[in-house]
Amino acid sequence: MFHTLSAVLSVTPGKTEATFPKTFAINDFYWGDPEGGFDFPMGNIQLLEYMNADTIRGQLSAFVPPDIFPKALAHLVAERIIAFLVISEDLPQGRNRVRLSDKGEIILDYWHDNLAGHERLVKKFCGKLGEMNRMAHLLSQHRVEFSEMLPLFGTAHQCGTLRMGDDPASSVVDASCKAHQLDNLYVGDTSVYVTSTAVNPTLTVVANGLRIGDHIKDRL
């Protein structure tokens, strides 16, 4: 599993100011859309890091070869972009696999799910940006939005494969993150997640690691 992600780019006529990237987030619609009568989880919206000329040229290389897209021009474009990530929870599927081909090549089998809430959140957010523009809000001042769901190579925060649970037949570790079949093996990274959350997982990993440490200390 990994986050269901879409990048939303707001292109402004003037330069954008984002002194502290990754410090702005919206969780108002995490558990649903009360304004639209949608009672299912939708996800998190957060500001992306700075855009730069190399990122722009790399992302557009399939459409505009870098040799005809001057870095100076890409820099001017990057200065006029406010980038956001729209993130939704990914749910486990048994058919999602990492496997080897007959030639020893790594093959990733993955199917997106939980798309209804995600697509609704992207639409909701773009609509809110439009409302801010009509109000001439100083934060936005945007004129055009682009949104695109990130493909598999855009994977961030992979998790799963060592699922936590009470039943050894359907999980690998128990509630204390100890392997069912081994008494001295504990797992504390994102592989034990039962779903991929719609927020960055690092603090949860740290908190769970402390919890596992306390459990091991009590056992010893």
Side-chain angles (χ1 to χ4, degrees), residues 58-91:
Q59 290 294 325
L60 298 179
S61 60
F63 309 99
V64 184
D67 56 343
I68 65 171
F69 191 7
K71 193 168 183 177
L73 177 58
H75 178 69
L76 291 176
V77 174
E79 287 183 323
R80 288 159 174 79
I81 288 179
I82 304 176
F84 299 88
L85 276 182
V86 177
I87 308 174
S88 299
E89 184 178 23
D90 188 22
L91 304 176

Side-chain angles (χ1 to χ4, degrees), residues 137-165:
H137 195 288
L138 293 177
L139 173 65
S140 62
Q141 296 181 345
H142 71 284
R143 295 296 179 270
V144 184
E145 307 97 45
F146 301 95
S147 63
E148 181 180 1
M149 192 166 180
L150 300 185
L152 190 58
F153 66 73
T155 298
H157 303 151
Q158 303 94 324
C159 57
T161 70
L162 298 179
R163 191 178 188 185
M164 185 192 308

Side-chain angles (χ1 to χ4, degrees), residues 107-127:
I107 298 175
L108 301 178
D109 296 323
Y110 179 80
W111 282 261
H112 285 285
D113 63 6
N114 197 28
L115 293 180
H118 180 73
E119 292 169 354
R120 190 181 186 96
L121 183 59
V122 171
K123 183 177 179 180
K124 187 81 174 182
F125 181 51
C126 289

Side-chain angles (χ1 to χ4, degrees), residues 8-117:
V8 176
L9 305 181
S10 179
V11 183
T12 71
K15 293 182 180 180
T16 63
E17 296 291 339
T19 306
F20 300 104
K22 299 291 280 186
T23 56
F24 174 77
I26 301 172
N27 282 320
D28 299 57
F29 309 107
Y30 197 100
W31 298 113
D33 181 7
E35 298 176 348
F38 189 77
D39 297 327
F40 300 96
M42 292 168 62
N44 163 269
I45 301 162
Q46 60 182 252
L47 195 64
L48 252 176
E49 63 271 8
Y50 294 116
M51 299 297 289
N52 59 53
D54 291 328
T55 300
I56 296 295
R57 295 172 82 206
Q59 290 294 325
L60 298 179
S61 60
F63 309 99
V64 184
D67 56 343
I68 65 171
F69 191 7
K71 193 168 183 177
L73 177 58
H75 178 69
L76 291 176
V77 174
E79 287 183 323
R80 288 159 174 79
I81 288 179
I82 304 176
F84 299 88
L85 276 182
V86 177
I87 308 174
S88 299
E89 184 178 23
D90 188 22
L91 304 176
Q93 295 194 61
R95 59 181 178 173
N96 289 348
R97 300 281 178 176
V98 179
R99 57 187 176 87
L100 291 177
S101 71
D102 295 337
K103 297 180 180 180
E105 301 167 324
I106 296 175
I107 298 175
L108 301 178
D109 296 323
Y110 179 80
W111 282 261
H112 285 285
D113 63 6
N114 197 28
L115 293 180

Side-chain angles (χ1 to χ4, degrees), residues 192-215:
V192 302
Y193 280 22
V194 294
T195 74
S196 173
T197 61
V199 293
N200 303 48
T202 302
L203 290 178
T204 304
V205 170
V206 172
N208 190 44
L210 293 172
R211 184 182 69 92
I212 295 171
D214 288 341
H215 172 77

